Amino acid sequence: MYIEEKQFKNFILDSGLVSKADFEKAEDESFKKGTAIADELVKRGSLTADDVVRVEAYVLGIPFVDLRGQKIDFSVLSMIPEPIARNHNIVAFKKADRALEVAMLDTDDLAAIDFVKKKVGLQIVPRLTNRESIKTALLQYQKSLKAEFGDIIQKEASAIKAVSSGEDETESETDLKKKAEDLPVVRIVDTLLKHAILQNASDIHIEPLEKEVLVRYRIDGILHDTMVLPRTIASSIIARIKVLSNLKLDEKRLPQDGRFKVETDEEKVSFRVSILPTYFGEKAVMRLLKENASGFSLEGLGFHGETLERIHAATKQRTGMILTTGPTGSGKTTTLYTVLDILNTPEVNISTIEDPVEYQMTRVNQTQVKPEIGFSFANGLRSLLRQDPDIVMVGEIRDNETAALAVNASLTGHLVISTLHTNSAAGAIPRLLDMKVEGFLLVSTVNIIIGQRLVRKLCDVKEKYFLSKLEIENLGKVVDLSRVLATLKEEKIIGKTDSWEKIPFYKPKPSEKCEDGYASRIGIYEVLKVTPTIRQLILKGSTSAEIESQAKSEGMLTMIEDGIFKAVQGVTTIEEVLRVVSE
């Protein structure tokens, strides 16, 4: 799609969208760099990318359409297959008797227009649109597919109902393998996996009950009932998952763990599988790990102010330990990888030992433990230290031996980053002491400890409200509001004279785009810096409560305080913070 620079210039200056002086500066810059004037104007903030597309549409005489907020009939949308729509940025949105209106980023893409014309047998009427508009239209493919998946599963389940009706606890491996390779079973499991990927689920639970099989997905930390399948197909589904994970088909009495990968058009997803015998049969839980998830930043994860400064200061150290703590699924590993990404420069050698390798990183030597052959965290860490690393990441400190090795590694000139399962940052100290790590070694090695949880984020559409005096009083019983208020003023989130009565909070507002008012998650954090006073408390054998109290007096914002801070920003709700942080 080409517009002469002269035409573009004349229209922009005539319309008054950009001043002559700004345009000339952008023109000079584009001449020096050999770039387009439009790109320079967008870069300088004189125009938005949306403005440029609208100008091009006007100059070319092609109508502009914005599909954001429009619900497209699926029968019209699906006239162009999703891969074609995605690759060529072309979406069908309106159908007349003999014509099909399509929104495009490039109306000169004649190959795409010709393909669609041949496929649908209608006249194609192109319309110009922008990237955001195309993006939201493409999401509608997925939403419509979700509805289709339920029908597919019910249809396939009924197809195999008769085959599996005579279920027997003593089925042979051959029988189970035959069940696992039965076409309807393969389709059901494939559909369940695709459905979970589309919904951004973190876990899939397949639970056999007395008369049915319940399938649940964990989305944004909350378990949702997804579908109910006939009880008769339970063993076939579990057998299929075992085949994919390379597990023993005829072993039904002992728990089994495995993993497998699925590759879609856009991403690779690893599934970590756990199978456990229960009263009504075997239960399978699969954890989804997106391998190409990257591009995180500390700010994007939810760090701000003093907590952000403390982490950046710790990453500049060349020895010692950075620890992240929290329960399973609280985003500890994502935080570690983000820190690792900051540390990942050509001058350093980084090695990791993990279970499993969750994200793949370039220039990082990643090793996966294999307990079944005796390759544990401790053995792996021992070998890693012979590989001349500058920075070592240990996926998790689980036992005394790994703890001792990690501490010794940080004492001998390495920066060690790792995770621990504790409820708070201060709770990491007694946990390490419990693992037989000497207090004097801890104070010499630990730089910072990050405690974290994940809360659901509010969608863009949300409802504003103010707290009553009674509500402020009740909230003050569980969180130190004066500390939160001081931090909000310090970071200029609110005015210097604002009080809690004048500060707005937000509630979820369900909409068509956002079913329960929440979408995705963000972290709430506390970052405990091991200062000289904290070191003294550790050496004295102080409790985690005493350590936390001292850390608060030295400026540490606790997780619940950080949660209320984010609730004021409109990122999440008070209810969500209180749900996640249990005192």
Side-chain angles (χ1 to χ4, degrees):
M1 190 168 62
Y2 178 73
I3 297 174
E4 283 185 19
E5 298 269 279
K6 193 178 176 184
Q7 275 182 299
F8 182 75
K9 180 179 180 175
N10 290 341
F11 182 85
I12 290 287
L13 294 176
D14 288 346
S15 66
L17 282 168
V18 177
S19 69
K20 194 176 180 184
D22 279 356
F23 192 92
E24 283 170 358
K25 280 178 191 170
E27 198 171 23
D28 291 343
E29 203 67 31
S30 75
F31 182 73
K32 283 178 199 167
K33 293 180 184 173
T35 54
I37 297 174
D39 293 343
E40 282 303 321
L41 286 167
V42 171
K43 203 173 175 184
R44 296 168 71 88
S46 304
L47 286 177
T48 64
D50 198 27
D51 291 333
V52 173
V53 179
R54 286 174 189 270
V55 168
E56 287 171 346
Y58 189 87
V59 173
L60 292 165
I62 299 167
F64 178 89
V65 292
D66 189 349
L67 300 175
R68 284 174 288 192
Q70 273 194 45
K71 189 158 173 42
I72 305 167
D73 186 333
F74 189 60
S75 63
V76 175
L77 186 72
S78 58
M79 289 177 89
I80 300 177
E82 190 186 1
I84 300 296
R86 202 171 282 281
N87 292 336
H88 292 273
N89 290 305
I90 178 170
V91 171
F93 67 95
K94 197 174 181 183
K95 182 180 174 285
D97 288 342
R98 294 182 184 177
L100 181 69
E101 286 189 51
V102 296
M104 305 179 73
L105 289 184
D106 181 5
T107 51
D108 285 349
D109 189 349
L110 300 177
I113 293 171
D114 196 43
F115 172 84
V116 174
K117 189 176 181 179
K118 283 176 184 170
K119 189 178 185 307
V120 299
L122 297 167
Q123 183 193 343
I124 303 302
V125 184
R127 302 283 185 247
L128 253 178
T129 192
N130 58 26
R131 289 197 176 276
E132 280 305 309
S133 172
I134 284 280
K135 216 172 171 181
T136 54
L138 289 172
L139 276 173
Q140 293 192 38
Y141 276 99
Q142 296 186 356
K143 286 180 180 172
S144 304
L145 280 170
K146 286 178 201 171
E148 304 278 303
F149 277 149
D151 299 339
I152 292 168
I153 285 178
Q154 291 304 334
K155 187 180 166 189
E156 299 296 355
S158 59
I160 57 168
K161 199 170 181 181
V163 181
S164 308
S165 54
E167 192 176 328
D168 182 7
E169 281 298 311
T170 56
E171 288 168 299
S172 70
E173 189 171 352
T174 314
D175 292 340
L176 287 164
K177 198 163 187 180
K178 197 177 172 186
K179 271 187 175 186
E181 287 165 1
D182 192 21
L183 196 59
V185 174
V186 171
R187 280 187 189 145
I188 287 176
V189 174
D190 285 356
T191 306
L192 285 173
L193 301 182
K194 282 179 193 168
H195 191 184
I197 294 167
L198 284 179
Q199 288 205 314
N200 283 321
S202 60
D203 302 84
I204 305 171
H205 291 239
I206 298 170
E207 305 171 5
L209 306 176
E210 189 177 6
K211 293 177 181 174
E212 59 201 16
V213 177
L214 179 63
V215 179
R216 301 199 284 170
Y217 292 161
R218 190 178 292 280
I219 302 165
D220 293 339
I222 308 283
L223 270 173
H224 299 267
D225 286 9
T226 304
M227 54 195 78
V228 174
L229 301 172
R231 176 74 181 88
T232 46
I233 67 167
S235 65
S236 307
I237 288 175
I238 298 297
R240 177 64 189 161
I241 292 166
K242 284 181 178 177
V243 165
L244 289 171
S245 316
N246 206 17
L247 300 176
K248 291 179 184 175
L249 286 171
D250 55 348
E251 179 55 83
K252 294 188 176 186
R253 298 165 303 163
L254 294 172
Q256 293 190 74
D257 294 320
R259 51 179 63 88
F260 63 92
K261 280 184 190 178
V262 166
E263 206 165 327
T264 66
D265 295 336
E266 293 180 356
E267 57 197 348
K268 284 182 187 173
V269 182
S270 287
F271 287 82
R272 199 163 70 193
V273 180
S274 168
I275 292 177
L276 184 75
T278 64
Y279 188 74
F280 292 114
E282 291 175 288
K283 177 188 173 181
V285 175
M286 292 177 272
R287 164 69 57 93
L288 283 75
L289 303 164
K290 293 186 180 180
E291 288 192 359
N292 54 355
S294 61
F296 296 116
S297 67
L298 290 173
E299 292 86 347
L301 294 181
F303 289 98
H304 59 91
E306 179 66 21
T307 56
L308 189 61
E309 294 303 317
R310 286 180 174 188
I311 295 173
H312 279 303
T315 59
K316 289 182 174 68
Q317 303 291 319
R318 284 290 157 256
T319 61
M321 291 178 85
I322 297 172
L323 297 173
T324 64
T325 68
T328 304
S330 60
K332 299 187 297 295
T333 308
T334 304
T335 303
L336 279 197
Y337 273 105
T338 308
V339 170
L340 213 55
D341 201 30
I342 294 166
L343 294 164
N344 190 6
T345 58
E347 304 85 52
V348 293
N349 174 19
I350 303 176
S351 294
T352 75
I353 180 89
E354 306 168 59
D355 182 22
V357 171
E358 294 194 18
Y359 306 126
Q360 288 171 353
M361 290 189 85
T362 52
R363 303 180 67 91
V364 174
N365 310 292
Q366 295 174 271
T367 308
Q368 186 160 307
V369 301
K370 290 187 173 67
E372 63 274 12
I373 57 166
F375 183 46
S376 64
F377 272 116
N379 293 341
L381 186 50
R382 216 177 260 113
S383 303
L384 276 193
L385 295 174
R386 298 188 202 113
Q387 293 268 313
D388 183 36
D390 298 295
I391 297 160
V392 176
M393 177 179 128
V394 182
E396 188 189 331
I397 295 175
R398 291 178 182 170
D399 52 58
N400 300 7
E401 196 180 359
T402 310
L405 284 165
V407 167
N408 284 325
S410 63
L411 279 170
T412 53
H414 305 90
L415 181 64
V416 177
I417 60 176
S418 188
T419 69
L420 268 177
H421 279 256
T422 64
N423 286 330
S424 66
I429 303 294
R431 179 84 184 97
L432 287 167
L433 291 170
D434 189 46
M435 286 181 174
K436 306 289 184 281
V437 176
E438 296 289 352
F440 67 88
L441 291 178
L442 272 187
V443 298
S444 310
T445 54
V446 181
N447 298 335
I448 59 162
I449 305 166
I450 303 164
Q452 66 181 87
R453 297 285 189 282
L454 291 175
V455 291
R456 289 182 295 165
K457 283 172 75 176
L458 282 166
C459 296
D460 293 337
V461 180
K462 51 200 168 196
E463 199 178 313
K464 187 193 279 192
Y465 74 101
F466 293 86
L467 293 179
S468 67
K469 278 191 176 178
L470 182 63
E471 285 170 327
I472 293 167
E473 234 174 81
N474 289 335
L475 187 60
K477 290 172 185 173
V478 289
V479 61
D480 189 339
L481 291 177
S482 58
R483 277 168 51 80
V484 181
L485 194 67
T487 309
L488 286 163
K489 287 176 182 177
E490 193 183 312
E491 295 190 30
K492 296 180 179 164
I493 305 297
I494 58 170
K496 286 187 177 179
T497 56
D498 285 354
S499 61
W500 284 112
E501 287 84 0
K502 293 177 184 173
I503 296 170
F505 284 89
Y506 298 86
K507 285 179 180 174
K509 194 174 183 181
S511 63
E512 196 178 302
K513 276 187 185 177
C514 206
E515 285 172 27
D516 58 359
Y518 293 101
S520 82
R521 290 188 289 174
I522 195 166
I524 56 173
Y525 305 94
E526 57 189 28
V527 177
L528 190 153
K529 185 181 177 185
V530 181
T531 59
T533 46
I534 301 280
R535 287 190 185 108
Q536 288 303 317
L537 288 176
I538 294 168
L539 290 170
K540 278 184 199 167
S542 301
T543 62
S544 58
E546 288 167 335
I547 292 167
E548 186 174 296
S549 177
Q550 179 60 33
K552 282 170 76 174
S553 70
E554 292 176 8
M556 181 183 87
L557 209 61
T558 63
M559 272 184 281
I560 192 165
E561 288 165 357
D562 187 39
I564 301 301
F565 180 98
K566 288 184 171 81
V568 171
Q569 287 179 302
V571 174
T572 188
T573 62
I574 294 172
E575 292 75 17
E576 184 64 12
V577 173
L578 296 176
R579 178 185 73 81
V580 167
V581 182
S582 50
E583 286 293 303

